[in-house]
Amino acid sequence: MLSPSVNASMSLLTRGFNEVLQLDNYALSTGNLQVGKLPIDPAWLASVRSRVALLGQAGASWTRDKPEIWGSILLQFADYASAFAGVARLQQQPGITTAAQWIELLNTVLLAQLDKAVSATDAASQAIITHRNAFSAIQPLLEQSINEGWVELASEEQQMVRIAAELQRLQDLVNALQDSVTSSDISSGQSVILTTVKTLYNIATEAGGSFSFLGMAGSAVTVGKYFYDIIHTSSEVADTLQKIAALQVLATEEAQAAAGTKMVLQLLYNLELSFASIGDVMPQIVTLWQTERDKVQNAISALSAGADPANYFDLLTFPTANANWQSLARFATAIPTRIDQAGPPVTLDPQQATLTAA
């Protein structure tokens, strides 16, 4: 049949959508990263700030290019379904019966559109690789700067590790409370809600006060419910916020700063994972189009070799294949419209051990 599995294709596009949402989230975080200064600002921290600025530029580049990259991938399904529907309508006309007529249609309409789909999807896949490489180039530089700070503060390493571990646990809990969008969510029109989640990491002072040091703002994905309604009932999140606050007062200001910068590294690691995941999805979509192109080329070859159009399986099942393509086009077109709500922003403040909604 001249169409792929509808369920498998929807699943593939849904995987891509989830990874794009994560990349958008991390790119948003890189653009909103704010690393402050200490009263006595060490050289390694100045280096971290300059490299965080590079990270922000890479994030802004993805945010700028993503609509064209992801939009191009989705557009191929609508364009090919439209071309396929045109051929299906012609099939209903009594005059479209000979092998020569079918060969002409398959060559000039379907094969041409499939060549475009393969080329456009492959170009989008390569663009994603380019963006991944931009983030990858920054990672060793930033890691070097942060590690310099940890080396300088080796005497407080144990305390820094404890703080960094709890900060990582907080981020893991936030991620675990989010939803992955399913293909049924997209098909049924479920609302995909994005909630801004801001994490404030302030430095505790010996006098009992605090001052702003690190701010990160990303987004949490939920389906059909607000993220705040989920997170504010989590005792694990509340306990982790309190534990971070308790650990911070036991460390020097510089040690607290060094521990906090590990959140930035974790952001980069998460970016790498999402780029790796979508980097796995994109070649599969390219393969989908290549497979469909091979099917059409095989049909042209068979008809050219004398196959009877009236008894050729791929032409007999053309109406069913057309219905499949129309379903995939509707699904791909619906994906960009699924993000239709914004939840109340959530702010996590470990130093105050609070979780609030705006």
Side-chain angles (χ1 to χ4, degrees), residues 20 23 62 69-70 73 123-134 274-275 278-279 282:
V20 165
L23 286 171
W62 165 258
I69 294 171
W70 181 232
I73 291 165
S125 182
Q126 294 304 311
I128 288 171
I129 292 172
T130 299
H131 281 282
R132 179 184 182 177
N133 290 342
S274 282
F275 270 118
I278 200 170
M282 291 304 110

Side-chain angles (χ1 to χ4, degrees), residues 268-339:
L268 264 174
Y269 297 149
N270 289 338
L271 265 166
E272 278 289 301
L273 289 174
S274 282
F275 270 118
S277 295
I278 200 170
D280 177 56
V281 170
M282 291 304 110
Q284 292 182 60
I285 299 178
V286 173
T287 299
L288 180 155
W289 289 117
Q290 290 171 333
T291 300
E292 295 307 310
R293 184 173 63 183
D294 290 345
K295 290 179 185 179
V296 171
Q297 287 173 331
N298 289 339
I300 292 170
S301 296
L303 293 169
S304 299
D308 182 2
N311 297 314
Y312 191 67
F313 177 78
D314 283 346
L315 301 186
L316 290 173
T317 58
F318 208 88
T320 302
N322 181 45
N324 290 344
W325 279 114
Q326 302 318 308
S327 293
L328 286 174
R330 286 192 296 271
F331 186 85
T333 302
I335 288 176
T337 69
R338 286 286 65 84
I339 305 173

Side-chain angles (χ1 to χ4, degrees), residues 238-288:
D239 291 345
T240 304
L241 288 168
Q242 292 175 359
K243 192 173 293 185
I244 294 168
L247 288 170
Q248 281 188 249
V249 298
L250 302 176
T252 64
E253 293 176 2
E254 192 171 345
Q256 292 177 62
T261 56
K262 287 291 186 180
M263 285 200 297
V264 182
L265 275 185
Q266 191 59 45
L267 170 64
L268 264 174
Y269 297 149
N270 289 338
L271 265 166
E272 278 289 301
L273 289 174
S274 282
F275 270 118
S277 295
I278 200 170
D280 177 56
V281 170
M282 291 304 110
Q284 292 182 60
I285 299 178
V286 173
T287 299
L288 180 155

Side-chain angles (χ1 to χ4, degrees), residues 185-224:
D185 292 332
I186 296 171
S187 297
S188 64
Q190 279 275 20
S191 295
V192 177
I193 301 172
L194 293 184
T195 299
T196 299
V197 179
K198 188 170 186 178
T199 302
L200 304 177
Y201 182 71
N202 297 333
I203 301 295
T205 65
E206 292 183 6
S210 66
F211 60 89
S212 176
F213 174 68
L214 178 64
M216 295 175 62
S219 58
V221 179
T222 49
V223 179

